[in-house]
Amino acid sequence: LDNEIRRLLCPALDRPSMGVACVGTQTVEQSLDIDADLLVTDLCPADILIQRLGRLHRANGSRPAGCELPVAIILDPGDLDGFVDQRGRIVARGGPTAVYGNLAMLQATLDVLDGGEVALPCQCREIVERVTHPESLASVAASRGEKWLLHYKSVSSVDEGLSALAERSSIRWDLSPLEGRNRIGSVEEDDVRTRI
């Protein structure tokens, strides 16, 4: 499937002259050098959204009529308040919470998008910090009320645990390779996720 999408959308290849619609997963947004004119996406944290936007107009050259500017349509899930219960737990309703469990990140992304025009790449760092920095996210949660604070505290403790796991399983470059490998040996390989 990756090869077929590359054949259809790779900026370095002769692409078909007809319009093409591809439905993909995160593999498409993060792993493939593709060039699209239009992106329709569910809401996701802004750092991931920026990665997705990077698939728009990657190649120089002429564009079909009506596609001279890259366009992204981000599907609005509505008020995120309905996705969290009074105890701060995510209500299993699907939408963006089916993949992304940190509602404060999603709300911070909506706040960035609702703030007007976003200029990329010059605002990338500012946007990423607004939607990933713990102080910023705590502020978003606090502005939404008690159940959001409970939710944020819960996801923050999970994130802290994952960070500790990543630290315990990382290679110590100041040690010999054998000593560094011994450090990883104390953690189950399946417990370590690439992103952490």
Side-chain angles (χ1 to χ4, degrees), residues 119-193:
L120 300 177
C122 61
Q123 286 184 299
C124 283
R125 182 181 178 127
E126 172 193 341
I127 291 168
V128 168
E129 287 183 10
R130 276 184 65 185
V131 301
T132 61
H133 196 278
E135 287 178 19
S136 176
L137 296 176
S139 176
V140 167
S143 73
R144 304 283 294 190
E146 185 62 28
K147 69 181 185 177
W148 279 72
L149 283 170
L150 291 170
H151 167 74
Y152 183 66
K153 187 181 225 181
S154 172
V155 295
S156 294
S157 64
V158 169
D159 289 347
E160 288 170 12
L162 290 172
S163 293
L165 176 63
E167 180 63 31
R168 284 195 319 271
S169 60
S170 61
I171 295 174
R172 291 274 311 271
W173 296 106
D174 59 325
L175 302 176
S176 74
L178 185 57
E179 290 171 300
R181 205 173 309 122
N182 285 340
R183 183 168 182 186
I184 285 181
S186 65
V187 176
E188 291 295 322
E189 186 176 332
D190 291 344
D191 291 340
V192 180
R193 299 180 197 159

Side-chain angles (χ1 to χ4, degrees), residues 5 30 73 75 79 83 92 117-118 126 144 149 171 175 183:
I5 290 175
Q30 295 176 348
I73 298 170
L75 302 176
D79 187 0
F83 287 97
E117 187 173 302
V118 174
E126 172 193 341
R144 304 283 294 190
L149 283 170
I171 295 174
L175 302 176
R183 183 168 182 186

Side-chain angles (χ1 to χ4, degrees), residues 5-41:
I5 290 175
R6 274 193 208 98
R7 185 184 72 73
L8 295 169
L9 297 177
C10 181
L13 299 176
D14 287 331
R15 296 169 26 177
S17 59
M18 78 260 185
V20 175
C22 296
V23 178
T25 64
Q26 289 180 339
T27 301
V28 173
E29 85 196 33
Q30 295 176 348
S31 306
L32 303 180
D33 181 17
I34 59 172
D35 175 40
D37 298 313
L38 170 69
L39 169 72
V40 179
T41 181

Side-chain angles (χ1 to χ4, degrees), residues 25-138:
T25 64
Q26 289 180 339
T27 301
V28 173
E29 85 196 33
Q30 295 176 348
S31 306
L32 303 180
D33 181 17
I34 59 172
D35 175 40
D37 298 313
L38 170 69
L39 169 72
V40 179
T41 181
D42 284 320
L43 176 66
C44 60
D47 56 331
I48 296 169
L49 180 60
I50 289 169
Q51 184 78 22
R52 289 179 188 175
L53 295 174
R55 304 300 155 221
L56 291 168
H57 282 217
R58 286 173 74 93
N60 294 325
S62 64
R63 298 282 168 185
C67 297
E68 295 83 8
L69 294 174
V71 174
I73 298 170
I74 299 145
L75 302 176
D76 185 349
D79 187 0
L80 294 178
D81 203 51
F83 287 97
V84 61
D85 69 15
Q86 294 304 318
R87 292 188 282 183
R89 296 179 307 188
I90 288 183
V91 179
R93 293 169 102 190
T97 61
V99 179
Y100 307 105
N102 188 330
L103 289 176
M105 263 187 186
L106 294 172
Q107 185 60 53
T109 299
L110 284 173
D111 294 346
V112 166
L113 296 173
D114 287 342
E117 187 173 302
V118 174
L120 300 177
C122 61
Q123 286 184 299
C124 283
R125 182 181 178 127
E126 172 193 341
I127 291 168
V128 168
E129 287 183 10
R130 276 184 65 185
V131 301
T132 61
H133 196 278
E135 287 178 19
S136 176
L137 296 176

